[in-house]
Amino acid sequence: MEEKNKHVPKPDWLKIKISSSENFKAVKNNLRENRLHTVCEEARCPNLQECFGERRTATFMILGDICTRACRFCAVTTGKPTHLDLGEPKRVADSVSYMKLRHVVVTAVARDDLQDGGSEVFANTIRAIRYKNPGTTVEVLPSDMKGDYDSLKTLLDAEPDIFNHNIETVRRLTPSVRNRATYDRSLELLKRVREMAPDMPTKSSIMVGLGETKEEILETMDDLLDHGVEILTIGQYLKPSKKHFPVDRYYHPKEFRELKRIARKKGFIHCEAGPMVRSSYHADEQVNEAAKMRRQEAERTN
């Protein structure tokens, strides 16, 4: 235990360039004016400056900013959520229009207090975005919704372009890292999506640096592939505060390149891997790559 709590210094390749461009300020001001939350800010994403300032993108976090779970890797506030904001979907759609997004990611805090896990608000947000921004592709990143597949169907009926649900870590570490979620329930959720919406690309993400072995990472890749996942992101876990799960080690960029090579060789149609990669990192490129690979596969089989 003493070894686990030992401070591991950050290496040079994890240094983040800080800037405040006009785009960065404009995006932040628009989000504040519309009373919207982003996982970019709430989870202290290291790519905040790049996405807000250079790429002019954001991952919207709906259903409030208070999560009913207390995962040991996550910086989002835990507690008892307030009422649902039924005007939120329209404001998200307005911000998507303002930022001229061609691809948008919609995620949410876990809302275990709601019978449907928030799936109806997810669906309304997708439809609002499509109504105001018909050319924009929509990616959703929900919780496991407690394994309620009626709620999953409500979300899928709104026809997002890509479904993303993060496995987060390897099977052995899941009970220590994730709260209320289970490894197998996440896999089952992803499998159900492929069964209910076979033409919808599915995606997941793994954090490394929590104490997993390389063999466990490869086993997780195999499990995701076996459950129909096509797109994978792999990033370095960064401890948000002293109370969060400790960093076991920092992976070198060469190790991420190797993991990406292995993932593609195993069969993922797209993989992003790197120290700063997060689930929504360059998500627009991922959905375009998935569409291209699906077209190529269709041409080969016809």
Side-chain angles (χ1 to χ4, degrees):
M1 182 60 69
E2 181 180 349
E3 182 67 22
K4 257 304 196 187
N5 291 328
K6 185 176 69 175
H7 174 67
V8 182
K10 288 184 181 178
D12 290 340
W13 61 79
L14 277 173
K15 291 180 180 178
I16 303 169
K17 181 181 177 181
I18 302 297
S19 64
S20 293
S21 68
E22 290 305 312
N23 276 351
F24 178 84
K25 294 174 184 176
V27 170
K28 288 204 70 168
N29 289 340
N30 176 262
L31 293 168
R32 297 295 80 77
E33 288 170 5
N34 282 289
R35 307 189 312 281
L36 295 173
H37 306 286
T38 66
V39 75
C40 322
E41 295 174 286
E42 301 293 335
R44 304 174 194 173
C45 178
N47 303 306
L48 180 64
Q49 299 285 333
E50 177 186 356
C51 294
F52 275 22
E54 296 173 27
R55 298 181 68 91
R56 202 175 173 86
T57 62
T59 298
F60 294 93
M61 189 174 76
I62 62 173
L63 300 170
D65 60 348
I66 300 176
C67 186
T68 54
R69 301 185 184 182
C71 297
R72 293 190 64 204
F73 67 89
C74 184
V76 175
T77 302
T78 301
K80 185 176 180 180
T82 56
H83 68 284
L84 281 179
D85 181 355
L86 300 181
E88 189 174 46
K90 181 182 182 302
R91 297 201 307 277
V92 171
D94 289 342
S95 283
V96 171
S97 178
Y98 168 80
M99 288 189 274
K100 298 180 175 63
L101 302 183
R102 290 177 296 178
H103 180 75
V104 60
V105 182
V106 180
T107 189
V109 292
R111 289 296 301 264
D112 295 326
D113 59 312
L114 301 176
Q115 186 172 357
D116 71 346
S119 62
E120 185 174 354
V121 177
F122 254 112
N124 289 341
T125 303
I126 295 167
R127 294 186 177 107
I129 292 170
R130 288 262 170 73
Y131 179 78
K132 185 147 190 174
N133 310 273
T136 298
T137 51
V138 183
E139 176 177 332
V140 292
L141 175 55
S143 73
D144 58 21
M145 292 180 283
K146 300 176 288 186
D148 183 342
Y149 300 117
D150 288 335
S151 297
L152 176 62
K153 185 178 186 306
T154 297
L155 194 162
L156 294 179
D157 282 348
E159 299 183 346
D161 293 281
I162 184 167
F163 186 94
N164 184 357
H165 175 71
N166 294 337
I167 196 76
E168 306 293 9
T169 187
V170 301
R171 180 184 294 275
R172 175 177 57 86
L173 292 174
T174 295
S176 301
V177 175
R178 303 174 73 191
N179 180 259
R180 301 188 193 177
T182 71
Y183 187 86
D184 288 313
R185 190 159 71 190
S186 286
L187 289 175
E188 180 65 20
L189 183 81
L190 290 160
K191 180 182 177 182
R192 291 292 186 105
V193 172
R194 293 310 306 272
E195 292 172 351
M196 297 164 72
D199 294 329
M200 186 180 299
T202 52
K203 171 181 169 182
S204 195
S205 181
I206 306 171
M207 299 177 291
V208 296
L210 292 156
E212 69 290 322
T213 66
K214 183 176 181 179
E215 290 72 22
E216 288 176 316
I217 296 173
L218 303 189
E219 287 171 5
T220 303
M221 288 184 185
D222 291 337
D223 287 340
L224 291 170
L225 286 167
D226 288 344
H227 287 76
V229 175
E230 299 172 291
I231 301 170
L232 178 67
T233 59
I234 308 171
Q236 173 68 51
Y237 167 63
L238 299 176
K239 183 178 178 180
S241 74
K242 292 180 180 180
K243 68 178 182 180
H244 285 86
F245 200 87
V247 175
D248 180 73
R249 77 178 183 94
Y250 293 102
Y251 282 58
H252 191 276
K254 289 182 179 179
E255 294 179 280
F256 282 106
R257 289 194 290 271
E258 174 66 5
L259 289 173
K260 179 176 181 176
R261 185 193 67 79
I262 293 171
R264 290 302 305 273
K265 186 176 180 180
K266 280 181 174 290
F268 289 99
I269 63 175
H270 189 87
C271 177
E272 289 278 354
M276 298 298 188
V277 168
R278 295 297 179 266
S279 182
S280 302
Y281 187 63
H282 292 189
D284 52 338
E285 297 174 6
Q286 295 164 25
V287 75
N288 290 337
E289 181 70 14
K292 183 178 77 173
M293 294 294 289
R294 279 173 173 262
R295 286 195 301 270
Q296 293 174 349
E297 181 63 27
E299 290 169 359
R300 284 195 293 268
T301 56
N302 290 337

